[in-house]
DNA sequence: AATGAATGAGAGTTCATTCAT
DNA sequence: CATGAATGAACTCTCATTCAT
């Protein structure tokens, strides 16, 4: 898989005029629609343009290639997610680690659950993209926020904040994803979520926090 | 995403003759090679046939279409994985839940780590396939085994084995996948694995097992 | 190749105002720049407009279509070339045919060599254009001048001036072009030029001039 | 203009089977037809395939891209031309330089005039191709043959055969091309040809051959 | 008069699949 | 049975040209 230069995935022009803004938003939304209705394999440039009500040419003025469409979607989604996590982290400053962890579970879960179909589609879309860099950047950003939160927790005394952070975030993010992949009902989801929190709590108590 | 009839993904004939067996195996291996070297997008039928040293026509004798190649790969991999998990479950009969959980972590982790690149490739390949049914079948099979194991654990007293099982397996499988997605070093992986075990243990103790 | 009406290749308006003149000149120059840097295939209307620092719309005010850009370039170049040849012809009135021929070699060669890259680019551009009419007009104009010059040469006694003219000009123009197509060094070029002159002289002497 | 690797212009497979041979020949001929009827700009891959009576896919099995079609045409033509020149050179061994030069004029002229429209089309096609290498190779090959011929001429005494060769070939090849570009009648062509020969003869006599 | 966003026909190219040999 | 040449629908992307602002 040849690695593409990142620039090739970035939108071509930042829409400053209002007309452009509308166009770009329409394309974003159309990409989501097509992704949901026809899946990643059925996502064609003409299909997206048609759904967006613009010509292919117009679309290509804002997105240099097909990949950039999905890339932009992921970028948007991840940015929002990161902001939410950061907000939670800021809010949880000085609380106990357990409380912080539980809040993280809630925030992450909520963000992913808001548009479950989109979440699922994006999870899948990632597989075909050169999104490694994007994901890594996102992970770094979020890790920084959560590590900070854990460090400044009222009861923090672990020698290595990074280790705690890695464990908790891996378990939380991974569990959320896996929960998504099983087709679970409301009740099961609720049980899973509280179970996950309980696990985090129990672990932190056990290691002395 | 139009759902395809499952039969279209199954190999066309079960190779009984030894020559066929060799051919099919070559195709399997070639699919893996191409998947690893060129990624899912670079996986072409002619490419696989070439690598396998057979003609496209011959390949189509055994695999009805392109998807079936990757489908078969996943099926093989998941079957092996299921067998391993079942073996572990059988072996852990009568031990404590915590021990069982830890053994599950070890088995699952080991299976996924054996050919990390292939694991990664298959994780990704799933996104583009109609593998939901396959995955569900795998999940059901494995869940049965683990639930059984937990039920018959020496210290089992939870009213709902399914709930415990869902939580533990979701956390374990999810964490492993997430660990895979971060590019971690040996040391971090080791820490993560023992941390995951500790979490399971702590949780089980906390809920009275 | 459908023949286009010649009018479609002419600049739309003769720029009388000074601002327009500047704009048109900028476009001319930009066309050259792009032609040299990206070749005929890389010559796009937006590319030229950008380089010229004007909008596509403005460009289309002065040039009705893409072809007209290159057409105009050729026209300019050929006009200048014709003027130079005419000047030489005027200057050589009354001299011997051999001297006239040599002067023609010098003038033509110098004109083509002044901006060799541009010459090369224009030679190539012609292939893709409906420039036959333009070239014919140029040829007629120049032939008239040179035929005149030969007719009025001090030692002219050939029965058919047109024939002599056709031979000499064909050989001269053709040789210059061919010399351009081989990638020759300074020394070879000098040798070629003096050789060409010698040929003309020898021929004229041999036929009695 | 980025230089392309030469390999990209070479036919993909050498047709060994007779069916393939027919196909490839049909494509060659179709390329010529389209080139003549619609010009270089009107040469499309689908157009050629259609004219050849094959599918685009088939065409792409033998020619890796559009350029390679025209490239192959030029290659064929130039090879034939080179062979003819070489044959003439072999035949003219030991004759006088003047006779050799005249024979060269005849051969070259005849080869170019055989299919005048094709010659014209190929002259033009060259402009848009990365044929520099091809042309250089052809020039080197032909120059070698003609230089040899001149060296071994019965009356050869010039100190530098290369110089004589360069002059004569440049004048001959250039004149032929220029003659092609003017739309000349039979009579003028005949006059031009004999004039060109006379020039060569006169020159050689003048310099002592 | 100038702008440049929008257009969309149409280009080149790929590749899963078939079927005559 | 095996082969691999042939197919052609479908895809991505370009760019000359227009016209509302």
């Amino acid at each position: 898989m040849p690695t593409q230069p990142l620039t090739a995935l970035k939108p071509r022009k930042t829409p400053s005029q209002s007309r452009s803004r509308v166009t770009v938003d329409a394309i974003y939304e159309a990409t989501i629609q097509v992704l949901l209705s026809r899946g990643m394999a059925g996502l064609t440039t003409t299909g997206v343009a048609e759904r967006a009500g613009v010509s292919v040419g117009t679309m290509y003025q804002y997105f240099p290639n097909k990949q950039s469409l999905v890339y932009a979607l992921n970028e948007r989604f991840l940015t929002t997610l990161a902001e939410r996590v950061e907000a939670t982290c800021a809010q949880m400053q000085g609380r106990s680690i357990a409380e912080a962890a539980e809040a993280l579970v809630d925030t992450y879960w909520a963000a992913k659950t808001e548009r479950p179909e989109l979440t699922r589609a994006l999870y899948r879309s990632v597989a075909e993209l050169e999104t490694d860099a994007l994901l890594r950047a996102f992970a770094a950003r979020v890790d920084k926020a959560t590590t900070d939160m854990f460090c400044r927790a009222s009861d923090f005394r672990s020698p290595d904040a990074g280790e705690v952070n890695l464990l908790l975030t891996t378990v939380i993010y991974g569990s959320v994803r896996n929960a998504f992949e099983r087709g679970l009902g409301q009740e099961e989801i609720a049980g899973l979520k509280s179970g996950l929190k309980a696990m985090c709590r129990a672990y932190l108590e056990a290691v002395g926090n």
Side-chain angles (χ1 to χ4, degrees), chain A:
Chain A
M1 267 179 291
T3 319
Q4 292 201 30
L6 247 181
T7 50
L9 298 172
K10 291 268 168 192
R12 243 173 197 163
K13 23 174 151 173
T14 320
S16 50
Q17 289 142 45
S18 64
R19 183 157 56 135
S20 305
R21 170 132 229 101
V22 170
T23 301
V24 169
D25 280 345
I27 296 171
Y28 270 118
E29 204 50 44
T31 306
I32 294 175
Q33 300 297 335
V34 175
L35 206 54
L36 292 184
S37 61
R38 295 209 271 272
M40 193 65 181
L43 188 90
T44 67
T45 50
T46 46
V48 170
E50 208 170 323
R51 188 78 139 237
V54 296
S55 67
V56 228
T58 298
M59 208 186 75
Y60 270 87
Q61 258 179 7
Y62 298 102
F63 297 88
N65 50 51
K66 184 187 163 183
Q67 292 212 352
S68 65
L69 287 170
V70 188
Y71 188 92
L73 232 52
N74 275 287
E75 201 174 30
R76 268 200 176 186
F77 192 78
L78 290 177
T79 300
T80 305
L81 184 55
E83 281 165 1
R84 287 225 211 172
V85 169
E86 283 171 344
T88 296
C89 290
Q91 209 179 311
M92 287 290 132
Q93 289 277 25
R95 306 284 273 276
S96 73
I97 295 190
E99 283 173 317
E102 288 189 41
L104 186 58
V105 171
D106 281 328
T107 298
Y108 199 81
W109 207 295
K112 291 285 186 183
T113 313
E114 224 145 61
R115 296 185 70 177
E117 285 311 320
L118 178 58
T119 299
R120 214 180 299 268
L122 289 181
Y123 267 143
R124 297 192 154 201
S125 77
V126 164
E128 298 178 48
L129 239 50
E130 217 55 61
T131 32
D132 280 2
L134 186 61
L135 288 176
R136 239 191 302 280
F138 166 74
R141 176 174 171 183
V142 167
D143 275 350
K144 193 176 171 326
T146 51
T147 306
D148 244 49
M149 173 172 69
F150 292 133
C151 273
R152 299 189 186 161
S154 57
D155 57 347
F156 177 73
R157 57 184 55 90
S158 162
D160 188 348
E163 206 176 332
V164 175
N165 180 68
L166 179 60
L167 176 61
L168 288 175
T169 54
T170 298
V171 167
I172 292 171
Y173 304 159
S175 300
V176 172
R177 167 149 203 179
N178 193 273
F180 250 92
E181 254 141 35
R182 304 166 174 251
L184 300 180
Q186 284 297 327
E187 212 173 323
E188 288 168 312
I189 286 180
L192 210 46
K193 198 167 135 189
S194 71
L196 181 57
K197 287 181 185 176
M199 275 187 85
C200 293
R201 232 182 300 120
Y203 169 75
L204 290 167
E205 264 166 37
V207 298
N209 273 108

